[in-house]
Amino acid sequence: MRRHGDPSSQAGSESGKRQSEPSSPAPAPTPVPTLNVANLLTLSRLALVPLFIGALFAGDGSETVWRAIATALFAIASLTDQVDGWVARKYGLITDFGKIADPIADKALIGAALVGLSLLGELPWWVTVVIAVREIGVTLLRFWVIRHGVIPASRGGKAKTLAQIAAIVLYLLPLPDGAEPVRWVLMGFALLLTVATGLDYVFRALKLRKTARASTAGR
């Protein structure tokens, strides 16, 4: 029989007290600031769009030097699309603002290039219209379901963007007429991805909305 002052009894009592004490809550994660490096790169892509347009139409859009400058500006702006996503993922800088602003910046850059090339008579308007309808439609879908959640860019969407960028670069470069078949093949591939990923976004938006409404109704 243990005595009242037995150390082992006191140790057991202290252990019981510690077990009964509620554990301290885990610290809340630090919120990611909206104004971060990844989002600044996205905004820089938007800022390069008017500079690209100015270079594209300089010298009636036919001077080799200005076309090379326009191509370089387009390539630099397109590169930021790859860099900002990598930075956001590596350093945990993913924000809802970035998920929305990133595809909008892509659409502004690519849309400006397509419209510019069509105005110069180097790309059929129907190609520009098909791509523009898809991009505007996807943007509207994002805002339609934004109260239910954000639809991030898919791998197919990224592949579509890369195909569009590669095709546009071929159209921007002052290449000989022999490059026309290569341009058309690459642009045709980009068009197929554009339509296919557009349909995918429609299904994802409808699924997100349906899931969110079912969750709300079940509460």
Side-chain angles (χ1 to χ4, degrees), residues 12 22 40 42 45 48 58 62 90-91 154 167 172-173 182 188 190 201-202 206 212 217:
L40 286 175
T42 300
R45 184 156 69 256
L48 285 172
S62 58
K90 182 174 177 62
Y91 297 101
S154 64
L172 290 173
L173 287 172
V182 179
Y201 272 108
V202 171
L206 292 175

Side-chain angles (χ1 to χ4, degrees), residues 170-171 176-187:
L170 287 183
Y171 274 91
D177 294 338
E180 193 65 21
V182 179
R183 287 170 169 167
W184 264 110
V185 168
L186 194 50
M187 184 59 76

Side-chain angles (χ1 to χ4, degrees), residues 182-204:
V182 179
R183 287 170 169 167
W184 264 110
V185 168
L186 194 50
M187 184 59 76
F189 178 65
L191 281 170
L192 287 175
L193 288 177
T194 297
V195 174
T197 55
L199 293 174
D200 175 62
Y201 272 108
V202 171
F203 292 127
R204 290 171 66 191

Side-chain angles (χ1 to χ4, degrees), residues 57-178:
F57 285 97
D60 296 329
S62 58
E63 291 188 7
T64 302
V65 173
W66 280 112
R67 287 300 288 262
I69 293 174
T71 305
L73 289 172
F74 181 83
I76 292 170
S78 300
L79 182 62
T80 65
D81 179 40
Q82 305 304 312
V83 176
D84 63 5
W86 177 82
V87 170
R89 290 187 298 272
K90 182 174 177 62
Y91 297 101
L93 299 177
I94 298 174
T95 63
D96 285 344
F97 173 82
K99 291 178 183 178
I100 295 173
D102 180 69
I104 289 177
D106 293 341
K107 291 169 178 53
L109 177 65
I110 291 174
L114 293 172
V115 171
L117 289 169
S118 293
L119 286 173
L120 292 172
E122 300 179 23
L123 183 69
W125 274 105
W126 70 265
V127 174
T128 297
V129 169
V130 169
I131 295 177
V133 168
R134 184 272 187 196
E135 303 300 349
I136 294 173
V138 167
T139 301
L140 293 176
L141 276 175
R142 287 176 181 274
F143 284 107
W144 181 51
V145 299
I146 195 170
R147 67 181 182 275
H148 303 303
V150 176
I151 305 177
S154 64
R155 291 184 178 180
K158 288 294 184 182
K160 175 268 306 178
T161 300
L162 288 175
Q164 289 178 351
I165 289 171
I168 289 171
V169 166
L170 287 183
Y171 274 91
L172 290 173
L173 287 172
L175 299 175
D177 294 338

